PDB file of all heavy atoms in Angstrom:
ATOM      1  N   VAL A 170      -8.978 -15.062   0.994  1.00 98.00           N
ATOM      2  CA  VAL A 170      -9.403 -15.667   2.339  1.00 98.00           C
ATOM      3  C   VAL A 170     -10.715 -16.517   1.873  1.00 98.00           C
ATOM      4  O   VAL A 170     -10.898 -17.585   2.239  1.00 98.00           O
ATOM      5  CB  VAL A 170      -9.673 -14.636   3.413  1.00 98.00           C
ATOM      6  CG1 VAL A 170     -10.405 -15.409   4.577  1.00 98.00           C
ATOM      7  CG2 VAL A 170      -8.339 -14.106   3.850  1.00 98.00           C
ATOM      8  N   ASP A 171     -11.631 -15.788   1.218  1.00 98.00           N
ATOM      9  CA  ASP A 171     -12.854 -16.537   0.760  1.00 98.00           C
ATOM     10  C   ASP A 171     -12.508 -17.771  -0.079  1.00 98.00           C
ATOM     11  O   ASP A 171     -13.187 -18.835   0.136  1.00 98.00           O
ATOM     12  CB  ASP A 171     -13.648 -15.664  -0.115  1.00 98.00           C
ATOM     13  CG  ASP A 171     -14.257 -14.475   0.699  1.00 98.00           C
ATOM     14  OD1 ASP A 171     -14.446 -14.667   1.933  1.00 98.00           O
ATOM     15  OD2 ASP A 171     -14.610 -13.422   0.125  1.00 98.00           O
ATOM     16  N   ILE A 174     -11.312 -20.566   2.260  1.00 98.00           N
ATOM     17  CA  ILE A 174     -12.549 -21.265   2.954  1.00 98.00           C
ATOM     18  C   ILE A 174     -13.227 -22.198   1.900  1.00 98.00           C
ATOM     19  O   ILE A 174     -13.581 -23.308   2.242  1.00 98.00           O
ATOM     20  CB  ILE A 174     -13.436 -20.189   3.515  1.00 98.00           C
ATOM     21  CG1 ILE A 174     -12.777 -19.341   4.549  1.00 98.00           C
ATOM     22  CG2 ILE A 174     -14.711 -20.866   4.074  1.00 98.00           C
ATOM     23  CD1 ILE A 174     -12.264 -20.044   5.783  1.00 98.00           C
ATOM     24  N   ALA A 175     -13.391 -21.707   0.730  1.00 98.00           N
ATOM     25  CA  ALA A 175     -14.066 -22.548  -0.285  1.00 98.00           C
ATOM     26  C   ALA A 175     -13.146 -23.717  -0.639  1.00 98.00           C
ATOM     27  O   ALA A 175     -13.780 -24.871  -0.992  1.00 98.00           O
ATOM     28  CB  ALA A 175     -14.356 -21.662  -1.534  1.00 98.00           C
ATOM     29  N   VAL A 179     -11.267 -25.250   6.573  1.00 98.00           N
ATOM     30  CA  VAL A 179     -11.817 -25.825   7.799  1.00 98.00           C
ATOM     31  C   VAL A 179     -11.603 -27.201   7.976  1.00 98.00           C
ATOM     32  O   VAL A 179     -11.213 -27.775   8.977  1.00 98.00           O
ATOM     33  CB  VAL A 179     -13.381 -25.381   7.902  1.00 98.00           C
ATOM     34  CG1 VAL A 179     -13.963 -25.989   9.202  1.00 98.00           C
ATOM     35  CG2 VAL A 179     -13.568 -23.858   8.029  1.00 98.00           C
ATOM     36  N   GLN A 204      -7.417 -18.620  13.701  1.00 98.00           N
ATOM     37  CA  GLN A 204      -8.845 -18.267  13.855  1.00 98.00           C
ATOM     38  C   GLN A 204      -9.745 -19.415  13.658  1.00 98.00           C
ATOM     39  O   GLN A 204     -10.807 -19.589  14.338  1.00 98.00           O
ATOM     40  CB  GLN A 204      -9.153 -17.086  12.826  1.00 98.00           C
ATOM     41  CG  GLN A 204      -8.467 -15.791  13.211  1.00 98.00           C
ATOM     42  CD  GLN A 204      -6.931 -15.698  12.684  1.00 98.00           C
ATOM     43  OE1 GLN A 204      -6.482 -16.586  12.126  1.00 98.00           O
ATOM     44  NE2 GLN A 204      -6.395 -14.598  13.098  1.00 98.00           N
ATOM     45  N   ILE A 205      -9.429 -20.265  12.680  1.00 98.00           N
ATOM     46  CA  ILE A 205     -10.344 -21.448  12.422  1.00 98.00           C
ATOM     47  C   ILE A 205     -10.258 -22.475  13.546  1.00 98.00           C
ATOM     48  O   ILE A 205     -11.190 -23.175  13.908  1.00 98.00           O
ATOM     49  CB  ILE A 205      -9.956 -22.159  10.989  1.00 98.00           C
ATOM     50  CG1 ILE A 205     -10.242 -21.214   9.902  1.00 98.00           C
ATOM     51  CG2 ILE A 205     -10.678 -23.417  10.920  1.00 98.00           C
ATOM     52  CD1 ILE A 205     -11.757 -20.724   9.767  1.00 98.00           C
ATOM     53  N   LYS A 207      -9.819 -21.575  16.676  1.00 98.00           N
ATOM     54  CA  LYS A 207     -10.829 -21.054  17.692  1.00 98.00           C
ATOM     55  C   LYS A 207     -12.223 -21.337  17.260  1.00 98.00           C
ATOM     56  O   LYS A 207     -13.085 -21.613  18.241  1.00 98.00           O
ATOM     57  CB  LYS A 207     -10.583 -19.515  17.809  1.00 98.00           C
ATOM     58  CG  LYS A 207      -9.378 -19.084  18.475  1.00 98.00           C
ATOM     59  CD  LYS A 207      -9.287 -17.581  18.631  1.00 98.00           C
ATOM     60  CE  LYS A 207      -8.217 -17.084  19.450  1.00 98.00           C
ATOM     61  NZ  LYS A 207      -8.098 -15.719  19.615  1.00 98.00           N
ATOM     62  N   PHE A 208     -12.690 -21.359  16.012  1.00 98.00           N
ATOM     63  CA  PHE A 208     -13.924 -21.751  15.663  1.00 98.00           C
ATOM     64  C   PHE A 208     -14.244 -23.252  15.963  1.00 98.00           C
ATOM     65  O   PHE A 208     -15.269 -23.549  16.557  1.00 98.00           O
ATOM     66  CB  PHE A 208     -14.160 -21.593  14.155  1.00 98.00           C
ATOM     67  CG  PHE A 208     -15.264 -22.325  13.493  1.00 98.00           C
ATOM     68  CD1 PHE A 208     -16.589 -22.187  13.872  1.00 98.00           C
ATOM     69  CD2 PHE A 208     -14.968 -23.384  12.607  1.00 98.00           C
ATOM     70  CE1 PHE A 208     -17.604 -22.890  13.222  1.00 98.00           C
ATOM     71  CE2 PHE A 208     -15.979 -24.147  12.018  1.00 98.00           C
ATOM     72  CZ  PHE A 208     -17.279 -23.960  12.360  1.00 98.00           C
ATOM     73  N   LEU A 209     -13.267 -24.151  15.599  1.00 98.00           N
ATOM     74  CA  LEU A 209     -13.412 -25.525  15.961  1.00 98.00           C
ATOM     75  C   LEU A 209     -13.578 -25.789  17.467  1.00 98.00           C
ATOM     76  O   LEU A 209     -14.027 -26.784  17.911  1.00 98.00           O
ATOM     77  CB  LEU A 209     -12.249 -26.303  15.286  1.00 98.00           C
ATOM     78  CG  LEU A 209     -12.277 -26.268  13.814  1.00 98.00           C
ATOM     79  CD1 LEU A 209     -11.073 -26.976  13.316  1.00 98.00           C
ATOM     80  CD2 LEU A 209     -13.587 -26.949  13.222  1.00 98.00           C
ATOM     81  N   GLU A 212     -14.958 -21.154  20.233  1.00 98.00           N
ATOM     82  CA  GLU A 212     -14.695 -19.830  20.687  1.00 98.00           C
ATOM     83  C   GLU A 212     -15.276 -18.678  19.706  1.00 98.00           C
ATOM     84  O   GLU A 212     -15.417 -17.626  20.240  1.00 98.00           O
ATOM     85  CB  GLU A 212     -13.137 -19.614  20.980  1.00 98.00           C
ATOM     86  CG  GLU A 212     -12.592 -20.560  22.028  1.00 98.00           C
ATOM     87  CD  GLU A 212     -11.148 -20.450  22.109  1.00 98.00           C
ATOM     88  OE1 GLU A 212     -10.583 -19.317  21.993  1.00 98.00           O
ATOM     89  OE2 GLU A 212     -10.330 -21.567  22.086  1.00 98.00           O
ATOM     90  N   LEU A 213     -15.354 -19.055  18.561  1.00 97.00           N
ATOM     91  CA  LEU A 213     -15.928 -18.192  17.499  1.00 97.00           C
ATOM     92  C   LEU A 213     -16.877 -18.770  16.700  1.00 97.00           C
ATOM     93  O   LEU A 213     -16.827 -19.935  16.419  1.00 97.00           O
ATOM     94  CB  LEU A 213     -14.739 -17.654  16.596  1.00 97.00           C
ATOM     95  CG  LEU A 213     -13.672 -16.775  17.201  1.00 97.00           C
ATOM     96  CD1 LEU A 213     -12.539 -16.588  16.189  1.00 97.00           C
ATOM     97  CD2 LEU A 213     -14.194 -15.492  17.672  1.00 97.00           C
ATOM     98  N   GLU A 214     -17.852 -17.973  16.080  1.00 98.00           N
ATOM     99  CA  GLU A 214     -18.671 -18.398  14.948  1.00 98.00           C
ATOM    100  C   GLU A 214     -17.874 -18.450  13.720  1.00 98.00           C
ATOM    101  O   GLU A 214     -16.828 -17.705  13.624  1.00 98.00           O
ATOM    102  CB  GLU A 214     -19.862 -17.500  14.861  1.00 98.00           C
ATOM    103  CG  GLU A 214     -20.866 -17.572  16.028  1.00 98.00           C
ATOM    104  CD  GLU A 214     -21.405 -18.952  16.220  1.00 98.00           C
ATOM    105  OE1 GLU A 214     -21.754 -19.710  15.199  1.00 98.00           O
ATOM    106  OE2 GLU A 214     -21.679 -19.344  17.400  1.00 98.00           O
ATOM    107  N   LEU A 215     -18.203 -19.151  12.658  1.00 98.00           N
ATOM    108  CA  LEU A 215     -17.425 -19.291  11.496  1.00 98.00           C
ATOM    109  C   LEU A 215     -17.291 -17.967  10.827  1.00 98.00           C
ATOM    110  O   LEU A 215     -16.171 -17.494  10.415  1.00 98.00           O
ATOM    111  CB  LEU A 215     -17.981 -20.323  10.478  1.00 98.00           C
ATOM    112  CG  LEU A 215     -17.176 -20.578   9.204  1.00 98.00           C
ATOM    113  CD1 LEU A 215     -15.806 -20.884   9.528  1.00 98.00           C
ATOM    114  CD2 LEU A 215     -17.911 -21.643   8.370  1.00 98.00           C
ATOM    115  N   GLU A 216     -18.355 -17.149  10.646  1.00 98.00           N
ATOM    116  CA  GLU A 216     -18.307 -15.957   9.955  1.00 98.00           C
ATOM    117  C   GLU A 216     -17.368 -14.949  10.736  1.00 98.00           C
ATOM    118  O   GLU A 216     -16.706 -14.126  10.137  1.00 98.00           O
ATOM    119  CB  GLU A 216     -19.799 -15.281   9.755  1.00 98.00           C
ATOM    120  CG  GLU A 216     -20.470 -16.089   8.806  1.00 98.00           C
ATOM    121  CD  GLU A 216     -19.916 -16.142   7.473  1.00 98.00           C
ATOM    122  OE1 GLU A 216     -19.328 -15.054   6.954  1.00 98.00           O
ATOM    123  OE2 GLU A 216     -20.027 -17.238   6.800  1.00 98.00           O
ATOM    124  N   GLU A 217     -17.413 -14.967  12.005  1.00 98.00           N
ATOM    125  CA  GLU A 217     -16.632 -14.160  12.831  1.00 98.00           C
ATOM    126  C   GLU A 217     -15.112 -14.560  12.521  1.00 98.00           C
ATOM    127  O   GLU A 217     -14.252 -13.651  12.455  1.00 98.00           O
ATOM    128  CB  GLU A 217     -16.997 -14.230  14.369  1.00 98.00           C
ATOM    129  CG  GLU A 217     -16.308 -13.320  15.248  1.00 98.00           C
ATOM    130  CD  GLU A 217     -16.614 -13.398  16.686  1.00 98.00           C
ATOM    131  OE1 GLU A 217     -17.391 -14.403  16.935  1.00 98.00           O
ATOM    132  OE2 GLU A 217     -16.097 -12.649  17.574  1.00 98.00           O
ATOM    133  N   ALA A 218     -14.798 -15.742  12.581  1.00 98.00           N
ATOM    134  CA  ALA A 218     -13.490 -16.271  12.275  1.00 98.00           C
ATOM    135  C   ALA A 218     -12.975 -15.814  10.911  1.00 98.00           C
ATOM    136  O   ALA A 218     -11.836 -15.360  10.901  1.00 98.00           O
ATOM    137  CB  ALA A 218     -13.307 -17.824  12.354  1.00 98.00           C
ATOM    138  N   ILE A 219     -13.837 -15.889   9.865  1.00 98.00           N
ATOM    139  CA  ILE A 219     -13.405 -15.421   8.543  1.00 98.00           C
ATOM    140  C   ILE A 219     -13.101 -14.001   8.639  1.00 98.00           C
ATOM    141  O   ILE A 219     -12.042 -13.643   7.963  1.00 98.00           O
ATOM    142  CB  ILE A 219     -14.513 -15.829   7.508  1.00 98.00           C
ATOM    143  CG1 ILE A 219     -14.612 -17.329   7.495  1.00 98.00           C
ATOM    144  CG2 ILE A 219     -14.306 -15.110   6.234  1.00 98.00           C
ATOM    145  CD1 ILE A 219     -15.922 -17.730   6.598  1.00 98.00           C
ATOM    146  N   GLU A 220     -13.977 -13.295   9.226  1.00 98.00           N
ATOM    147  CA  GLU A 220     -13.660 -11.740   9.270  1.00 98.00           C
ATOM    148  C   GLU A 220     -12.458 -11.446   9.987  1.00 98.00           C
ATOM    149  O   GLU A 220     -11.625 -10.526   9.690  1.00 98.00           O
ATOM    150  CB  GLU A 220     -14.896 -11.035   9.926  1.00 98.00           C
ATOM    151  CG  GLU A 220     -16.093 -10.931   8.885  1.00 98.00           C
ATOM    152  CD  GLU A 220     -15.737 -10.318   7.546  1.00 98.00           C
ATOM    153  OE1 GLU A 220     -15.121  -9.203   7.573  1.00 98.00           O
ATOM    154  OE2 GLU A 220     -16.189 -11.045   6.528  1.00 98.00           O
ATOM    155  N   GLN A 221     -12.052 -12.189  11.100  1.00 98.00           N
ATOM    156  CA  GLN A 221     -10.939 -11.970  11.819  1.00 98.00           C
ATOM    157  C   GLN A 221      -9.701 -12.271  10.944  1.00 98.00           C
ATOM    158  O   GLN A 221      -8.618 -11.717  11.138  1.00 98.00           O
ATOM    159  CB  GLN A 221     -10.893 -12.777  13.133  1.00 98.00           C
ATOM    160  CG  GLN A 221     -11.877 -12.267  14.245  1.00 98.00           C
ATOM    161  CD  GLN A 221     -11.586 -12.850  15.537  1.00 98.00           C
ATOM    162  OE1 GLN A 221     -10.657 -13.507  15.768  1.00 98.00           O
ATOM    163  NE2 GLN A 221     -12.535 -12.463  16.466  1.00 98.00           N
ATOM    164  N   ILE A 222      -9.789 -13.350  10.150  1.00 98.00           N
ATOM    165  CA  ILE A 222      -8.670 -13.720   9.238  1.00 98.00           C
ATOM    166  C   ILE A 222      -8.449 -12.645   8.242  1.00 98.00           C
ATOM    167  O   ILE A 222      -7.283 -12.318   7.983  1.00 98.00           O
ATOM    168  CB  ILE A 222      -9.083 -15.066   8.480  1.00 98.00           C
ATOM    169  CG1 ILE A 222      -9.184 -16.244   9.430  1.00 98.00           C
ATOM    170  CG2 ILE A 222      -7.838 -15.357   7.372  1.00 98.00           C
ATOM    171  CD1 ILE A 222      -9.703 -17.474   8.668  1.00 98.00           C
ATOM    172  N   LYS A 223      -9.400 -12.136   7.727  1.00 98.00           N
ATOM    173  CA  LYS A 223      -9.296 -11.007   6.718  1.00 98.00           C
ATOM    174  C   LYS A 223      -8.597  -9.678   7.405  1.00 98.00           C
ATOM    175  O   LYS A 223      -7.759  -9.196   6.903  1.00 98.00           O
ATOM    176  CB  LYS A 223     -10.607 -10.643   6.158  1.00 98.00           C
ATOM    177  CG  LYS A 223     -11.248 -11.699   5.208  1.00 98.00           C
ATOM    178  CD  LYS A 223     -12.501 -11.348   4.630  1.00 98.00           C
ATOM    179  CE  LYS A 223     -13.106 -12.358   3.736  1.00 98.00           C
ATOM    180  NZ  LYS A 223     -14.548 -12.090   3.256  1.00 98.00           N
ATOM    181  N   LYS A 224      -9.167  -9.405   8.630  1.00 98.00           N
ATOM    182  CA  LYS A 224      -8.590  -8.225   9.315  1.00 98.00           C
ATOM    183  C   LYS A 224      -7.142  -8.477   9.751  1.00 98.00           C
ATOM    184  O   LYS A 224      -6.271  -7.644   9.574  1.00 98.00           O
ATOM    185  CB  LYS A 224      -9.368  -7.991  10.593  1.00 98.00           C
ATOM    186  CG  LYS A 224      -8.932  -6.748  11.313  1.00 98.00           C
ATOM    187  CD  LYS A 224      -9.694  -6.462  12.532  1.00 98.00           C
ATOM    188  CE  LYS A 224      -9.272  -5.187  13.298  1.00 98.00           C
ATOM    189  NZ  LYS A 224      -9.975  -4.942  14.448  1.00 98.00           N
TER     190      LYS A 224
END
Side-chain angles (χ1 to χ4, degrees):
V170 173
D171 289 335
I174 296 299
V179 174
Q204 292 80 6
I205 295 300
K207 284 186 176 182
F208 159 66
L209 294 174
E212 300 171 44
L213 293 173
E214 295 296 325
L215 181 57
E216 287 305 315
E217 186 181 4
I219 292 169
E220 286 308 309
Q221 286 193 12
I222 295 170
K223 291 177 179 178
K224 182 178 179 181

